Amino acid sequence: MVGREEWLRPGFADADGVPLLHSHSFAFEKDGVRVLVDTAIGNGKTRANPAWHDLSTGYLDNLDAAGFPPDSVDLVLLTHLHTDHVGWNTREVNGAWAPTFRNARHVTSRTEREFWADYDMDEPRRGMFDDSVVPVERAGLLDLIDVPAEGAEIMPGLRLLPTPGHTPGHVAVELTSGGETALITGDCVHHPVQLAHPAIGACVDIDPEQSEATRRRLFASLAGTGALVLGTHFPPPTAGRVVQHGNGYRLAPVPAG
């Protein structure tokens, strides 16, 4: 499939056509509010996926270098509650998991949290909630909000948009400023190949049919608008604009800076 989409090389697929994936957080400041979108995988945590197990990364150093030390973050937006999006919600302090962004309001969809509250979790997922979600709740830092079809405004120029399917309460993050728009995808889109082939889903989509319908609706709404799309799992250049391509779409990359 990737071999038929040459525009994916070299950034989004390797020479053999194998799709490339990364995991990102996004940090920005909006009207004096310092915002972080998703918190990636986390360090030192027991995970079933060997690639995510007991990591020791420079995530916090990278945030510091970007000018976003943890105590300076005011708002953490969680697109959904999967392992690779909530891991740095907490870090180990004196043998216990404590909120990393202790001054920040953490926000996710009410539908998302209530779905997992009623879900029959296996042990690895329950462990992830225990070390990365529950400590934030117990600290009184997690806010659940209703996200209607038109989206939920967090503050002027910052909205959560419902993009269900990957999980029932999944949201994308829309940022507008100076007449321009950016959209952070979360996992409603995992890879740019899905622009050309929206029927391609992820094996962990809760509702594959709804996930595909969400992608089709989203791409149609973005095509030709000039909106900057930031893919949470897109490798560099990570950002691009949705443009028509044959009977579908492709991502026109926008280089960093």
Side-chain angles (χ1 to χ4, degrees), residues 83-94:
T83 306
D84 52 329
H85 296 259
V86 302
W88 272 107
N89 283 1
T90 62
R91 54 181 165 178
E92 191 172 9
V93 177
N94 297 325

Side-chain angles (χ1 to χ4, degrees), residues 4 12 34 51 60 65 69 101 103 107 115-116 128 151 157 179 197 201 205 207 212 218 229 236:
R4 298 204 298 270
F12 303 128
R34 300 170 69 78
L60 294 183
F101 307 100
N103 298 322
V107 174
F115 171 79
W116 293 113
M128 178 273 288
H197 304 281
D205 287 345
D207 187 335
E212 179 184 347
L218 184 65
V229 176

Side-chain angles (χ1 to χ4, degrees), residues 53-100:
H53 177 68
D54 196 23
L55 295 184
S56 178
T57 71
Y59 179 88
L60 294 183
D61 292 335
N62 291 340
L63 275 182
D64 281 343
F68 283 80
D71 284 353
S72 77
V73 175
D74 302 301
L75 178 63
V76 175
L77 300 177
L78 302 171
T79 61
H80 62 301
L81 301 179
H82 271 172
T83 306
D84 52 329
H85 296 259
V86 302
W88 272 107
N89 283 1
T90 62
R91 54 181 165 178
E92 191 172 9
V93 177
N94 297 325
W97 296 109
T100 304

Side-chain angles (χ1 to χ4, degrees), residues 6-231:
E6 290 300 327
W7 59 270
L8 291 167
R9 295 188 177 95
F12 303 128
D14 68 15
D16 295 322
V18 176
L20 304 173
L21 293 170
H22 283 206
S23 289
H24 299 292
S25 291
F26 296 93
F28 57 89
E29 186 170 322
K30 173 68 172 168
D31 298 335
V33 178
R34 300 170 69 78
V35 184
L36 186 66
V37 179
D38 287 337
T39 64
I41 298 166
N43 276 1
K45 296 187 172 181
T46 301
R47 297 293 183 249
N49 184 339
W52 297 348
H53 177 68
D54 196 23
L55 295 184
S56 178
T57 71
Y59 179 88
L60 294 183
D61 292 335
N62 291 340
L63 275 182
D64 281 343
F68 283 80
D71 284 353
S72 77
V73 175
D74 302 301
L75 178 63
V76 175
L77 300 177
L78 302 171
T79 61
H80 62 301
L81 301 179
H82 271 172
T83 306
D84 52 329
H85 296 259
V86 302
W88 272 107
N89 283 1
T90 62
R91 54 181 165 178
E92 191 172 9
V93 177
N94 297 325
W97 296 109
T100 304
F101 307 100
R102 57 187 181 178
N103 298 322
R105 173 189 178 205
H106 295 59
V107 174
T108 197
S109 148
R110 187 182 311 279
T111 299
E112 180 75 5
R113 184 63 184 102
E114 290 181 350
F115 171 79
W116 293 113
D118 293 334
Y119 193 80
D120 185 15
M121 298 185 194
D122 58 19
E123 187 55 37
R125 191 179 301 277
R126 186 172 301 281
M128 178 273 288
F129 268 79
D130 286 346
D131 65 39
S132 296
V133 178
V134 173
V136 175
E137 289 180 311
R138 286 178 176 164
L141 298 177
L142 185 64
D143 291 348
L144 306 180
I145 66 169
D146 297 314
V147 184
E150 66 274 16
E153 186 177 71
I154 303 301
M155 58 181 291
L158 185 60
R159 285 199 305 159
L160 301 185
L161 301 179
T163 47
H166 180 65
T167 63
H170 188 284
V171 294
V173 178
E174 181 190 73
L175 177 66
T176 58
S177 179
E180 298 187 6
T181 299
L183 183 103
I184 298 171
T185 64
D187 283 4
C188 64
V189 188
H190 280 88
H191 191 274
V193 72
Q194 293 173 294
L195 276 75
H197 304 281
I200 295 177
C203 62
V204 289
D205 287 345
I206 296 292
D207 187 335
E209 290 185 5
Q210 188 177 49
S211 185
E212 179 184 347
T214 289
R215 283 190 292 276
R216 292 185 183 278
R217 183 175 65 252
L218 184 65
F219 299 155
S221 73
L222 292 169
T225 66
L228 188 68
V229 176
L230 298 158

